[in-house]
């Protein structure tokens, strides 16, 4: 969609996934703040699900650099999931990347030691 329609469409969406090549955020709180009493499309009551405080709008920012200003997370009824949040909740140790890297280094060091001892 054209850039000029993006913010208008975003303001009335319940799920947004962004991943643009923009160097600056393309969405901020001013784009996602709904007037009082107006619900995003598909939301039965308002920007929040009743009185539970459960977010009814999810914004997933996969842009690098970020496409959505972090202040969006402070909006009532909006949950922001960005790469920083993912990094904090799924560190490399949990993805076993660190263990795999240590294993590669350990095997290389052992091979180096064996070869060096054989040459000596």
């Amino acid at each position: 969609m054209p850039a000029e329609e993006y913010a208008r469409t975003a303001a009335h969406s319940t799920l947004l996934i962004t991943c643009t090549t923009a160097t600056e955020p393309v969405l901020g709180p001013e784009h996602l703040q709904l007037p009082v009493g107006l619900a995003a499309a598909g939301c039965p009551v308002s920007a929040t699900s009743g009185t539970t405080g459960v977010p009814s709008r999810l914004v997933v920012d996969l842009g690098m650099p970020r496409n959505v200003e972090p202040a969006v997370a402070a909006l009532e009824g909006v949950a922001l999931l960005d790469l920083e949040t993912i990094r904090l909740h799924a560190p490399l140790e949990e993805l076993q990347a660190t263990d795999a890297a240590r294993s590669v280094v350990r095997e290389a060091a052992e091979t180096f030691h064996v070869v060096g001892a054989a040459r000596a």
Side-chain angles (χ1 to χ4, degrees), residues 21 27 35-36 39 46 62 70 86-87 95 97 103:
T21 57
L27 286 177
V36 175
S46 66
L62 301 176
I86 293 169
R87 183 190 69 80
L95 299 177
S103 178

Side-chain angles (χ1 to χ4, degrees), residues 96-111:
Q96 300 177 348
T98 302
D99 292 340
R102 286 185 180 133
S103 178
V104 168
V105 171
R106 187 179 316 109
E107 289 174 19
E110 289 172 1
T111 300

Side-chain angles (χ1 to χ4, degrees), residues 42-82:
C43 294
V45 181
S46 66
T48 57
S49 298
T51 59
T52 63
V54 176
S56 59
R57 298 171 65 192
L58 175 61
V59 179
V60 181
D61 180 2
L62 301 176
M64 190 181 236
R66 68 177 64 244
N67 295 156
V68 180
E69 293 178 20
V72 164
L75 292 175
E76 184 177 348
V78 178
L80 174 61
L81 177 61
D82 57 14

Side-chain angles (χ1 to χ4, degrees), residues 83-102:
L83 294 176
E84 179 65 14
T85 303
I86 293 169
R87 183 190 69 80
L88 291 172
H89 293 287
L92 292 178
E93 291 82 5
E94 291 181 19
L95 299 177
Q96 300 177 348
T98 302
D99 292 340
R102 286 185 180 133

